[in-house]
Amino acid sequence: MSKLLVDASFIIALFRKNEDAYKVAKKNKNIIEEHKCYTTNYVLNEVITIVSMRTKDIELTKRAYHFILDNFTIINEHDTPNFNAQVMNLFEKYNKKTFHLSFIDCSLILFYKQYNLEYIVSFDGWFKKVKEIKTYEFIE
């Protein structure tokens, strides 16, 4: 059983049929049951915001919220000393020439390292360019 850090893009794709990655997300949904899955409060906030704004469906948004609570260990950013400063250092490191990793993406890299996680589960291709992490390979 691997320890996975799940990004918002994967969770959002599970709840939005018109997302490009919906079929791949559904095909890979079993990873949540087969592995120890983590996410963060930032990801929870991002999922709820995007699902609600794009669908205008409060019931679907509530299902996404409860899905996260029921299936993930949620990492609290406030439990990490100097969290914002550490993430800002990573943000600066990975965005010196191009701005492709968001502050939240950089926070996931921090937690990946801090919690000795094995993979980041994301449809965000920019994570593949970060040599210090492994991204989960989806079944297509």
Side-chain angles (χ1 to χ4, degrees):
M1 179 181 285
S2 297
K3 296 189 317 184
L4 310 177
L5 182 57
V6 182
D7 183 30
S9 62
F10 181 76
I11 301 168
I12 292 165
L14 288 172
F15 287 90
R16 295 206 57 238
K17 291 180 181 179
N18 59 347
E19 287 290 319
D20 293 339
Y22 174 77
K23 289 180 183 175
V24 175
K26 284 294 190 184
K27 192 179 275 190
N28 289 273
K29 184 179 178 184
N30 63 321
I31 65 174
I32 294 168
E33 298 155 4
E34 296 171 358
H35 301 281
K36 178 71 176 159
C37 292
Y38 297 80
T39 198
T40 70
N41 282 316
Y42 278 170
V43 168
L44 172 72
N45 293 338
E46 187 175 12
V47 168
I48 299 308
T49 299
I50 291 173
V51 169
S52 67
M53 303 269 298
R54 290 185 183 166
T55 67
K56 310 290 190 257
D57 184 337
I58 192 65
E59 292 305 317
L60 181 66
T61 303
K62 286 170 42 181
R63 283 198 307 275
Y65 172 76
H66 289 290
F67 175 79
I68 293 169
L69 294 181
D70 293 343
N71 292 285
F72 296 90
T73 297
I74 300 175
I75 299 170
N76 188 338
E77 293 83 0
H78 300 292
D79 293 339
T80 300
N82 302 311
F83 169 75
N84 286 325
Q86 290 186 68
V87 175
M88 192 63 201
N89 287 337
L90 290 172
F91 184 82
E92 183 178 13
K93 174 183 176 180
Y94 294 116
N95 289 302
K96 282 193 179 203
K97 296 181 182 178
T98 58
F99 287 84
H100 295 293
L101 288 175
S102 72
F103 194 81
I104 293 173
D105 292 341
C106 292
S107 75
L108 293 178
I109 295 168
L110 174 69
F111 289 130
Y112 172 89
K113 294 176 182 181
Q114 185 177 25
Y115 284 80
N116 296 312
L117 302 173
E118 296 168 62
Y119 297 95
I120 291 182
V121 178
S122 178
F123 289 118
D124 185 345
W126 292 106
F127 280 118
K128 292 180 189 253
K129 296 183 185 269
V130 178
K131 294 176 183 168
E132 299 94 341
I133 65 169
K134 291 183 197 173
T135 56
Y136 188 83
E137 295 296 325
F138 295 109
I139 299 168
E140 295 287 331

